[in-house]
Amino acid sequence: AQSVAQPEDQVNVAEGNPLTVKCTYSVSGNPYLFWYVQYPNRGLQFLLKYITGDNLVKGSYGFEAEFNKSQTSFHLKKPSALVSDSALYFCAVRDASGNNRLAFGKGNQVVVIP
Amino acid sequence: GAGVSQSPSNKVTEKGKDVELRCDPISGHTALYWYRQSLGQGLEFLIYFQGNSAPDKSGLPSDRFSAERTGGSVSTLTIQRTQQEDSAVYLCASKQTGDLFYEQYFGPGTRLTVT
């Protein structure tokens, strides 16, 4: 079965420092991978996706993620964190049940400290 | 353009009552999903509609849960005889087609509290 692991419950980072949110996946077939962000009392917003092509994917708000097939990882990164980046981040991978849906991780709370 | 909208934004109900949650997807989006987000948990898939195909109901946790999508647009999630464990945020998402490489657009959610 397809699954996503986001091993850290919370990531604390000082404003201006690099931010990394980790994600590893397990999937058979093509690993379509997504990152979403959820701000308080809001729905999820799409950040970026990897479908095929370059392993480094650039997305919204200065975020990027690197697909690493050998390590089955898709870590989200931002070179310089902002206080406004404090939110809940979800990694998701295609669910190969054949029903065109995603399996989401449990989410990582990111806290950017001023 | 208009995004995905959900109503109500908050719903408090007594145990044993039925509730209906509404989702208005983005116009033209053929795929629609319902998820449940409980405190400290990830997103739990509930049901998926794609065009006129039979919905994928495999994520519904019990027969108290049902959903329909009328005219390929608006969807209603119904929970009968609500239980306290049904308390959660219910999220709806839509996307252009059923193809996996399209991203989903989420609504703001309905926060359901069962007392």
Side-chain angles (χ1 to χ4, degrees), chain B residues 50-66:
Chain B
Q50 169 54 40
N52 295 321
S53 302
D56 174 4
K57 304 179 181 180
S58 60
L60 295 177
S62 77
D63 58 8
R64 296 187 295 104
F65 287 72
S66 63

Side-chain angles (χ1 to χ4, degrees), chain A residues 15-80:
Chain A
E15 186 177 23
N17 281 4
L19 169 63
T20 298
V21 189
K22 296 180 180 178
C23 172
T24 58
Y25 66 89
S26 172
V27 67
S28 58
N30 297 325
Y32 297 165
L33 293 153
F34 297 77
W35 275 102
Y36 287 84
V37 60
Q38 185 178 35
Y39 298 101
N41 300 314
R42 304 277 296 275
L44 277 70
Q45 296 179 29
F46 169 75
L47 277 179
L48 50 79
K49 63 184 176 185
Y50 171 83
I51 304 299
T52 187
D54 290 342
N55 289 342
L56 185 63
V57 179
K58 294 187 183 296
S60 307
Y61 312 122
F63 283 94
E64 59 187 30
E66 185 168 9
F67 169 63
N68 187 317
K69 187 174 183 179
S70 63
Q71 296 184 5
T72 61
S73 67
F74 190 57
H75 301 332
L76 181 70
K77 299 181 181 181
K78 186 171 183 179
S80 178

